[in-house]
Amino acid sequence: MDNLYKKQSLIFKYILYIVAIAFIVFFLPKGGKFKYEFQKGKPWQYDNLYAPFDFSIQKTDAEIAEETQAIERNQLPYYRYDQNIVDDLRAEFQVAFNETWQDIGLRNSQRNRLKNVSEAILDSIYTKGILQNSGKQVQRNFIYLVKENEARKVRVTDFFKINEINELVSTVLAQNNLSLFENETQALFFDLITPNVSFDNSLTKKARDEALSKLSYTRGTVDQGRLIIAKGEVVEAENLKILESLKGEYESELWTANNYYYILIGYTVLVALVLIMLFLFLKKYRKEVYDNNTKVTFIFFNMLLMVFITTMVVKYNDELVFVVPLCILPLILKTFFDARLGLFVHVLAVLILGFVVPNSFEYIFLQIITGIVTILTVSELYKRANLFVSVGQITLIYIIGYLAFHTIHEGDLSDIQWFTFGLFLLNGMITLFVQPLIYIYEKLFGLVSDVSLLELSDTNSKLLKELSNKAPGTFHHSLQVANLAEAAANEIGANAMLVRVGALYHDIGKMNDPTFFTENQITNVNPHDELSPKHSAKIIIDHVIKGIELARKNKIPDRIIDFIRSHHGTTMVYYFYKKQKDLKGDDVNEEDFRYPGPLPFSRETAILMMADSVEAASKSLKDPTFLIIDEFVDKIISGQMKANQFLNADITFKEIETIKKIFKQKLTNIYHLRVEYPE
């Protein structure tokens, strides 16, 4: 159990590795890969290709879409004649006719004649029928009319429309010398006439589906052994369609029950190789990230998220693949870690997606180029203008790359798919949402970005305001250290914002006992005079522990707490150590006077240690000159180097010399030194 506990971090990485492989392989497309790569407009680079088996030449999506539209365009709608409506209406006519003319004194001969003419009008109207909605649903000149279970092709103009009834009544009555009864007869028909020919959606749809089912998706076949394309021949026109058909046929035949597990093993091996490269990179070049399982999980989570989103989009519609904002991946990783790690993970993710997307060469090329542009252009993300400019440049690279590939394939810039430009613009707009995403990640994974650092650097924040009120000397010292450290970090290319915020918070532990630190003593009374050197040393050393506790209580990020923890390293409180030694002789335990550490483990924490020591000690300088400051800075930092305080920090001798030079310049400006001129 002890061994298991000690290796829990490594076991977690193994589990993460296996889960990531399983996740990616599960979402990869279930199909084999054609062993030849080809592109429209480029020469065939392999030997002569002969058909390995009989296969059909598939029509392109455009051809199928065109034929489908032609079928739908020529398909006539079906309308159904309702005889029940006509029968009911004839019965209603008898009643309505009698009611209309019962109070009017008509001779029987006139009445019978008018009735016969009205019935004739009714028969002529319903010989074909009346279309519902006055024929507004009809978009064709002809339709199929289903009457007595028989469909006949008829003209739409053969049907009466309701607004034509009055004219018909007037004409027929005039021909029979019955115009005297026109108004009453028109009113009678206006109340009675009901449309009886309605659109039959189900029958129309059934006929359409039947016609579409007869659509052929192939045009001709290729016999086994036939030459498909010769070496050096340009891939275009007919041979391109044949190659694409062979590719589709090959991949569908390859992915069978017999080959399933072999192909699955192949995918697993390739994905495992990609992910193991990530682990090896982290272990060799980013040891502090590799040792932190939270950060490793964060990297894998983002990588898998991009693979998942892209796979889902491709399954829905592969034409939308460029709408996925893949550049968010290097952007986020650069924000929380560094540019090199961000680009490396981005390239690995793109390689995995090469199995998923169509035209994988174009996709991989464009995504790697835009990933590099993202890394090179995005800086100081907390400045909104920088993000907008970078996203604009990324979108421009997408468009330029697309136009270049289109020119290679088509030979000119005609027939450009403007829809693809819209995808690139939408991609850029989605990328702008990276800032709220960064905020969410900070809360979920406990990481810190430049945006948070900018907020923490505000001296009006609660904790820094409390430091200013309780320990004004310490607050002023922290500001001076922050200025020194930030200047040094800028000079050697370290994270200046991070080291500045670390400097502002590094001494917050002094708030509990501010008067025990000389910068806060406004009188000549020193409380250490009444304490033993050992007790005094403990109070001084404890400001690190109390600072960590105070920072955690106020939810300061761990990256800032690292500065509090390491800004004294394992150095000694030498003043009280020497005082104790003078009292007790050699019977003194050095560990009672030594800070617990850890040692600075990055360039930023090393810079803070140097700046803190130099600024604090500079207060003791009297009448400083150029020579005094020069020797003073060299002495302080050389002492730290001899004490091996920078062994774990990724910092070079050259960078240390540059830092010393900056400190000397800054201290010179602080003390307003001038060159002494001879009298």
Side-chain angles (χ1 to χ4, degrees):
M1 290 300 295
D2 287 342
N3 290 332
L4 190 65
Y5 180 79
K6 291 176 182 177
K7 295 180 180 179
Q8 61 176 335
S9 178
L10 187 60
I11 293 172
F12 176 82
K13 290 182 177 66
Y14 282 133
I15 295 173
L16 181 64
Y17 179 65
I18 294 170
V19 169
I21 293 173
F23 179 90
I24 294 174
V25 172
F26 176 78
F27 282 102
L28 285 178
K30 300 300 184 288
K33 280 288 182 181
F34 192 48
K35 60 183 177 181
Y36 301 108
E37 287 287 339
F38 59 89
Q39 290 184 350
K40 182 181 178 181
K42 296 187 71 175
W44 181 257
Q45 300 176 351
Y46 309 96
D47 292 334
N48 294 356
L49 178 62
Y50 297 91
F53 45 77
D54 296 340
F55 65 93
S56 301
I57 303 174
Q58 302 293 322
K59 294 179 182 177
T60 64
D61 292 340
E63 290 173 333
I64 294 172
E66 185 178 349
E67 292 184 17
T68 301
Q69 289 176 359
I71 291 173
E72 292 178 343
R73 192 166 50 248
N74 297 325
Q75 182 68 32
L76 296 181
Y78 280 79
Y79 280 74
R80 188 170 294 277
Y81 185 95
D82 193 337
Q83 183 63 41
N84 292 330
I85 292 178
V86 178
D87 295 340
D88 293 342
L89 194 130
R90 290 184 189 280
E92 292 177 13
F93 171 78
Q94 299 297 331
V95 175
F97 183 86
N98 293 330
E99 290 178 353
T100 301
W101 301 109
Q102 66 182 353
D103 296 331
I104 300 175
L106 290 178
R107 294 193 301 274
N108 288 335
S109 59
Q110 286 181 318
R111 183 185 181 91
N112 292 335
R113 188 178 169 206
L114 181 60
K115 185 176 182 181
N116 291 334
V117 170
S118 298
E119 287 177 346
I121 294 173
L122 195 63
D123 289 339
S124 65
I125 290 173
Y126 283 101
T127 300
K128 288 289 179 68
I130 299 178
L131 286 172
Q132 280 188 347
N133 299 326
S134 300
K136 290 182 180 178
Q137 293 183 7
V138 182
Q139 305 294 328
R140 312 291 173 85
N141 293 327
F142 291 89
I143 64 170
Y144 283 114
L145 179 64
V146 180
K147 186 176 181 181
E148 297 177 354
N149 294 325
E150 182 181 355
R152 292 190 181 91
K153 184 178 178 181
V154 297
R155 288 182 178 275
V156 174
T157 54
D158 291 345
F159 294 96
F160 277 104
K161 299 179 177 62
I162 290 179
N163 56 9
E164 297 174 346
I165 302 300
N166 287 342
E167 184 179 348
L168 175 65
V169 170
S170 299
T171 302
V172 175
L173 291 178
Q175 291 174 352
N176 289 274
N177 298 320
L178 296 170
S179 298
L180 185 64
F181 309 107
E182 179 179 333
N183 292 335
E184 291 82 357
T185 305
Q186 285 180 345
L188 172 65
F189 276 93
F190 181 81
D191 293 336
L192 285 177
I193 294 302
T194 303
N196 72 318
V197 177
S198 58
F199 177 66
D200 192 328
N201 183 56
S202 62
L203 190 57
T204 302
K205 185 176 183 300
K206 182 179 179 181
R208 173 184 172 277
D209 293 342
E210 184 178 349
L212 290 176
S213 67
K214 297 176 182 178
L215 175 64
S216 174
Y217 290 87
T218 63
R219 48 179 187 82
T221 59
V222 176
D223 298 329
Q224 182 177 357
R226 172 186 162 183
L227 176 64
I228 296 175
I229 190 169
K231 184 176 182 179
E233 187 177 350
V234 176
V235 179
E236 58 183 356
E238 187 65 23
N239 58 22
L240 173 62
K241 295 176 182 177
I242 296 175
L243 282 172
E244 289 176 342
S245 298
L246 175 61
K247 179 180 179 181
E249 194 76 21
Y250 181 89
E251 292 179 351
S252 63
E253 285 197 2
L254 183 64
W255 195 261
T256 61
N258 294 332
N259 299 330
Y260 181 89
Y261 294 105
Y262 290 106
I263 295 175
L264 208 61
I265 290 170
Y267 274 140
T268 303
V269 169
L270 292 176
V271 173
L273 285 175
V274 171
L275 295 184
I276 205 169
M277 292 302 107
L278 176 55
F279 270 118
L280 291 175
F281 175 86
L282 294 176
K283 188 172 183 179
K284 185 173 179 63
Y285 298 107
R286 297 294 181 272
K287 192 71 168 61
E288 73 282 359
V289 176
Y290 178 81
D291 292 336
N292 189 321
N293 281 341
T294 301
K295 293 180 178 179
V296 174
T297 304
F298 175 75
I299 294 170
F300 270 77
F301 173 80
N302 279 277
M303 190 174 178
L304 296 180
L305 181 64
M306 287 301 166
V307 171
F308 172 74
I309 293 174
T310 306
T311 304
M312 291 297 100
V313 170
V314 170
K315 285 184 178 180
Y316 174 73
N317 186 349
D318 58 16
E319 293 182 357
L320 302 177
V321 65
F322 282 109
V323 83
V324 180
L326 203 62
C327 288
I328 283 182
L329 181 60
L331 202 156
I332 287 177
L333 295 180
K334 182 183 178 182
T335 299
F336 288 115
F337 302 106
D338 60 83
R340 188 177 178 186
L341 175 59
L343 182 59
F344 190 83
V345 175
H346 177 72
V347 170
L348 293 183
V350 171
L351 290 177
I352 291 175
L353 291 175
F355 294 119
V356 179
V357 299
N359 299 321
S360 56
F361 173 78
E362 295 178 19
Y363 181 84
I364 291 173
F365 182 90
L366 277 177
Q367 295 295 2
I368 289 179
I369 291 296
T370 50
I372 293 172
V373 171
T374 302
I375 292 297
L376 294 177
T377 59
V378 175
S379 60
E380 298 179 328
L381 194 60
Y382 55 87
K383 296 181 180 178
R384 288 171 294 181
N386 289 357
L387 180 60
F388 278 96
V389 171
S390 297
V391 168
Q393 292 173 332
I394 292 167
T395 306
L396 182 62
I397 292 298
Y398 272 127
I399 293 173
I400 292 174
Y402 167 75
L403 291 175
F405 277 112
H406 185 83
T407 304
I408 292 172
H409 295 164
E410 304 295 337
D412 55 35
L413 290 177
S414 61
D415 196 27
I416 291 177
Q417 298 292 326
W418 297 104
F419 175 72
T420 308
F421 286 178
L423 295 182
F424 294 146
L425 294 174
L426 184 58
N427 183 307
M429 293 175 64
I430 297 174
T431 305
L432 291 175
F433 285 93
V434 69
Q435 284 192 328
L437 186 60
I438 288 172
Y439 176 80
I440 294 170
Y441 280 152
E442 286 180 336
K443 300 305 178 186
L444 287 178
F445 292 91
L447 302 172
V448 60
S449 68
D450 286 350
V451 179
S452 294
L453 291 177
L454 186 64
E455 294 175 356
L456 290 168
S457 67
D458 183 7
T459 53
N460 287 317
S461 63
K462 177 185 174 183
L463 198 54
L464 292 181
K465 197 133 189 160
E466 189 177 355
L467 177 65
S468 174
N469 293 331
K470 291 184 177 180
T474 299
F475 179 72
H476 182 264
H477 159 73
S478 298
L479 288 176
Q480 294 285 58
V481 172
N483 292 333
L484 285 174
E486 183 180 22
N490 278 323
E491 193 67 24
I492 69 169
N495 191 331
M497 177 68 75
L498 177 63
V499 77
R500 178 175 182 82
V501 175
L504 289 174
Y505 288 87
H506 79 285
D507 269 345
I508 57 173
K510 293 181 179 180
M511 280 194 290
N512 291 342
D513 300 301
T515 56
F516 284 90
F517 301 91
T518 55
E519 66 266 24
N520 299 311
Q521 294 171 359
I522 57 177
T523 64
N524 292 327
V525 178
N526 189 342
H528 289 289
D529 294 340
E530 300 177 2
L531 302 175
S532 66
K534 185 176 179 180
H535 191 186
S536 295
K538 186 177 186 310
I539 293 174
I540 299 297
I541 292 171
D542 280 352
H543 88 274
V544 172
I545 306 300
K546 292 176 180 178
I548 294 171
E549 293 173 352
L550 193 59
R552 291 195 185 283
K553 183 179 178 182
N554 286 271
K555 298 181 179 179
I556 301 297
D558 285 341
R559 285 184 80 183
I560 307 305
I561 295 176
D562 288 339
F563 287 90
I564 302 173
R565 186 185 291 115
S566 63
H567 74 277
H568 283 295
T570 57
T571 57
M572 291 181 62
V573 185
Y574 190 75
Y575 176 83
F576 292 109
Y577 170 72
K578 191 173 184 306
K579 193 173 180 181
Q580 180 74 0
K581 201 170 183 180
D582 291 341
L583 292 173
K584 300 289 185 178
D586 293 332
D587 188 21
V588 178
N589 185 3
E590 287 189 8
E591 296 304 316
D592 293 336
F593 297 87
R594 190 177 295 279
Y595 285 97
L599 297 175
F601 48 84
S602 65
R603 290 192 298 174
E604 288 77 15
T605 51
I607 290 171
L608 177 61
M609 172 180 267
M610 296 183 226
D612 181 43
S613 300
V614 167
E615 202 286 328
S618 68
K619 296 293 192 296
S620 63
L621 293 176
K622 296 179 181 179
D623 300 325
T625 63
F626 289 113
L627 183 60
I628 290 174
I629 290 176
D630 187 75
E631 291 178 353
F632 162 77
V633 173
D634 285 338
K635 179 182 177 182
I636 294 292
I637 296 178
S638 296
Q640 292 173 335
M641 293 174 67
K642 288 178 182 178
N644 297 323
Q645 295 300 302
F646 305 134
L647 285 180
N648 296 336
D650 184 19
I651 193 166
T652 64
F653 286 116
K654 182 179 180 181
E655 289 171 340
I656 291 175
E657 289 300 318
T658 302
I659 292 168
K660 285 158 64 173
K661 179 181 176 183
I662 294 299
F663 286 170
K664 293 170 185 178
Q665 292 175 355
K666 287 292 181 182
L667 289 175
T668 300
N669 293 334
I670 290 171
Y671 290 108
H672 305 289
L673 298 181
R674 296 180 176 226
V675 177
E676 292 186 10
Y677 292 96
E679 296 182 1

